[in-house]
Amino acid sequence: MTFNRGGGLRHNLSSIYHAALSSILRKIRPNSIPYPPGLWSLNGTLIDLGNDYRRRMSGGSLIISNLDKDQDTGVYQCMAFNTWGSILTRRASLQFAYLDNFKTQTVRSAVNVREGQGVVLLCGPPAHSGELTFAWIFNEYPYFVQQDNRRFVSQETGSLYIAKVEPSDVGNYTCVVNNTVTREKVLRVMGEYEPKIEVHFPDSVPAAKESVVKLECFALGNPVPEISWRRTSGVPFPSKVKMKNSNAVLEIPNFQQEDAGTYECMAENRRGKNAARGRISFHAKPHWLQTMTDTALSIEENLFWECKASGKPKPSFSWLKNGEQLMAEGRVQIENGALSIAVLNLSDSGMYQCVAENKHGIIYSSAQLMVLASPPSFSKSPLRALLKARSGSEVTLECKPQASPPAISSTLVNTVINCSASLRITLLPNGTLKIANVTRQDAGSYTCIAKNQFGTASTTVRLLITEHTRITMRPTNMEIIVGESIVLPCQIACDPALDVSFSWAFNGQLIDFQRDSDHFERVGGSISGDLMIRNIQLNHGGKYVCVIDTDVESLSTSAILVVKGPPGPPDKVAVEEITDSTAQLSWTPGRDNGSPITGYIIQARTPFTVGWQAVDTVPEVVNGNMLTATVVGLNAWVEYEFRVVARNAVGLGEPSPSSAKTRTEDTIPDTAPTDVGGGGGTRSELVITWEPVPEELQNGEGFGYIIAFRPVGTVTWTRAVISTPGVARYVYRNDTIPPFAPFDVKVGAYNNRGEGPFSSIATVYSAEEVPTVAPKRVRARSVSAVQIEVVWEALPVIPERVLGYEVRYDSLQNYYDTKPDTIGKVRISGNYTLVNITGLRANTAYYLSVAAFNTAGPGPQSAPINTTTKKPPPDRAPLNIKWTMIGSTLTLHWDPVLTMETESKVTGYSVGPFSLTILTNKTTVELSLSANDNYLIQIKAMSEGGEGVGSEPIHIHKLSEFTVVFPLPITSL
């Protein structure tokens, strides 16, 4: 089943249909019930949905159940309506696809054909309706005949065409048309023959716009003919054209006007050729060029509507009113797409449709006509209750009543003066009153009166004449520096009766004070509109206009503000020429920002600098008129970037974008290593050290060092080369080198371009021998729980140098466990023979030994001795502290601290801190305190192992602050 839109009836519903419609509406719609969404007709007859169980409406859609070909085939159309009228939808056709004159499973007699000859197998009688497709089965399902350049199935006739029969074609053929089948058979061969076109398109083919056009062309022949296509005009096919089924079908999608013309199909083999031609003509369904719109006119006015549509063939026009055919008669005139109705009355209101139609389609355009009849009214355009006008100006009072038909008279009356007595007052035919060069005598009330046959209306305005407004203070042109603030004045004198508003425009755009509050603020009262601009920026330069608006006039005053700032960044910095130490630069200037550029500063950056650095130039000072300069003093073989900064009287501007990275040329080193020295090492070694040359001073690739040395007093230099730039130490080994012998040493640099300068000569000593004698008479004593004092006898003069002494120590357990990583060392330079070792463990036995040392290291150790650190001091603080204050004397009492077996015995107590801590072996003490000092007193037990834990501190404030002093026991503070 198909449901095709756009086809159908060429005539409108009959008057009988409309009578039935009116009857149905009266039945289904009492005054209190809304209109139904629409009514449907079939072949011009209303469908009675109340008595039809198979048809029903949902919304505005028609739903049909259990479709029946005899009852449901035809043209459907829907009418939609409301209180203003009704319109018709476009028509829709409902058809059922079926086959005529085909007999199912018809068996046909065999077809005998000689090999090489062509054959046509007919599917059956050509009469059919609906959309049919054709296919052929070879021998048995599902083996279908495959179309190629030798075989073709026409979708127009259903026939199977075989251009040249081959033995493989022998078999049974079945034509399938939906469910109708027929049988055929093919046999034998024949000789070669020229092409014979059996399938071709008509001589004339009409084609609708945007449709898909298919032309078929197939020929019999032996050998199998080749099919080709062309346009007789010689115009090549556009890319959208497709060839299908071995060129048997030419398909033109989206057919357009330019695709029309004569097409030729050519079939050719070696025996000959044949051609078929046909013309495709362009057709198009109607398309609106102009439509009407909803219109409201007064009674007795004239209506003119015109519709225009294009199409091929040219469409015809008709008009509908409320879905009914509109005929030309009397006041109604119709000429194709134009409709005119003279002297409208209320019955002409309704829904109108213009219909354009040709054989390819039909289109509708709808509009509503409202015919109005009403008395005059000023509800939409009343005169203002109060109108203010400037003295000397012209006043226009418009009288615009709404009336259908238009008001037949309108008059303006001034209750104060006589209108006709003044030559300055003009009353126009449309009711507008004009007063030229108004004065205060023209002030008063004016009334407009309008009439037509339906009634009368009036409206009144009071005219107030005011004096001119004057600008008393104006802004002036100014120059200002970026970051400053100014006020642009704008003040007026005006008539007190006027409402005044101020606004400011900047370069033609109104200033939004809320959005731009960071910079702009309007200050002043009712007659002042001064503009404050804070923190002025470069983009604030331009024209400022103060606009004063009153009820009767608009005034303005302006000023130009020039903002000066540092120059903008220069641009296009380029390195024109570069050597090992210079670079020729060029650039283009930036904006001067209101102040001429007075000079430029050149800056450079390398991978070795921190940020940008100013560089020396030639000339030394680059003035504002120069756009080139030579940078000097550059390092060789270094990658540089350059930028330029401009300056003017305001200050330095933003820097330019940096230039492309450019490397200077290489050259021999011009910087020698510094801080040459050395010494130390092991026997028979000369150790030489220096400060490496920084990478930015190496001047080229292949950088390294040349080390030269000789014994002091000799002439010949020994040289060595190190090719690693980061190395800063060289060791020369030779068994003939005497210990601690002086050498002249110098270090130079080289690269691929050659040798550079050498450093100044330094004296470096070869490695010396360690001392060969151990110190004697080594003694040690325990000072506390954490400290041991060690003394020894200084070494006598020996051949080796002695720079000092080294004391090694370790606990007894570690000593026997031989853990070298636990050994402690203390070194003391010079000729000292005593050292205190601290940070030791309490009550622990330590082994100690002493050795002399020099740059070659320590000599032999003395015989080890041992000593034990003291027991630790008590870990408890004095408790139960009591104190009394009498005058300036503080008396303290506390309980003695008792020690344990593992702790050192208490030998006394310390009381402090003071400038001198007081020691006592008692548990009481008296202190004389100053009246002007604050005191914090703490008591600690003393022992051989050191100080014990301190008590809680006692705070004594200045005695001068107390008025009453009495003793307090202190147990915990």
Side-chain angles (χ1 to χ4, degrees), residues 383-388 444 460-465 497 551:
L383 289 174
R384 294 166 56 184
L386 175 64
L387 177 63
K388 300 175 184 179
T460 300
V461 60
R462 186 168 71 87
L463 180 62
L464 177 65
I465 307 302
D551 302 300

Side-chain angles (χ1 to χ4, degrees), residues 701-737:
E701 293 183 311
F703 184 83
Y705 298 100
I706 302 172
I707 298 92
F709 54 91
R710 66 186 178 186
V712 172
T714 63
V715 177
T716 305
W717 293 91
T718 300
R719 289 166 55 106
V721 174
I722 294 179
S723 60
T724 305
V727 171
R729 186 173 185 268
Y730 173 73
V731 178
Y732 173 68
R733 294 181 178 85
N734 193 306
D735 293 340
T736 63
I737 297 178

